[in-house]
Amino acid sequence: QVQLVESGGGLVQAGGSLRLSCAASGRTFSSYVMHWFRQAPGKEREFVAAISWSDGNTYYADSVKGRFTISRDNAENTVYLQMSSLKPEDTAVYYCAAGSRPATMGSFMSYWGKGTLVTVSS
């Protein structure tokens, strides 16, 4: 059974940092691209960042470029999202997802986690 399990969310003050983790299990993800999406209250889900398991290529939304860093630990089958200089507008449920290629649309993802809540207070 394929599972993507996010962790690391919480409450942080503006300007602070958090690191999210996504533990993948149940299949080999080496050919997949791992993504982070987020959905704020009352808003549509949006792409945040992605990383290719195989070559480590990374992709970022303009809104997080320079503040967030996506990385992977192949041995641990885990993807991370290091978030710094957090802003109140980063408040959202953050989802880990796996797709066969980089994509900014969630409809192209094959697997999803259940999400972890990040709240940034002003």
Side-chain angles (χ1 to χ4, degrees):
Q1 181 181 358
V2 173
Q3 276 194 314
L4 299 177
V5 180
E6 303 95 335
S7 61
L11 174 64
V12 63
Q13 287 189 331
S17 299
L18 275 178
R19 189 178 79 159
L20 305 183
S21 300
C22 171
S25 63
R27 67 156 295 146
T28 301
F29 285 91
S30 58
S31 62
Y32 278 74
V33 179
M34 303 301 294
H35 298 70
W36 287 97
F37 287 83
R38 68 185 180 186
Q39 187 166 19
K43 295 189 176 181
E44 292 190 354
R45 181 177 55 199
E46 64 174 354
F47 166 77
V48 175
I51 186 167
S52 169
W53 272 117
S54 58
D55 57 19
N57 283 345
T58 58
Y59 312 84
Y60 294 96
D62 288 343
S63 59
V64 306
K65 204 171 291 184
R67 300 189 299 122
F68 291 10
T69 302
I70 189 170
S71 62
R72 76 203 193 289
D73 184 330
N74 287 6
E76 296 292 328
N77 255 15
T78 300
V79 175
Y80 302 98
L81 185 68
Q82 178 67 49
M83 306 185 294
S84 303
S85 302
L86 282 161
K87 305 175 183 179
E89 51 264 43
D90 294 317
T91 295
V93 177
Y94 283 72
Y95 297 92
C96 178
S100 58
R101 58 186 175 91
T104 58
M105 293 181 63
S107 56
F108 287 101
M109 300 299 109
S110 300
Y111 304 102
W112 288 91
K114 293 183 178 181
T116 185
L117 176 63
V118 173
T119 303
V120 184
S121 63
S122 57

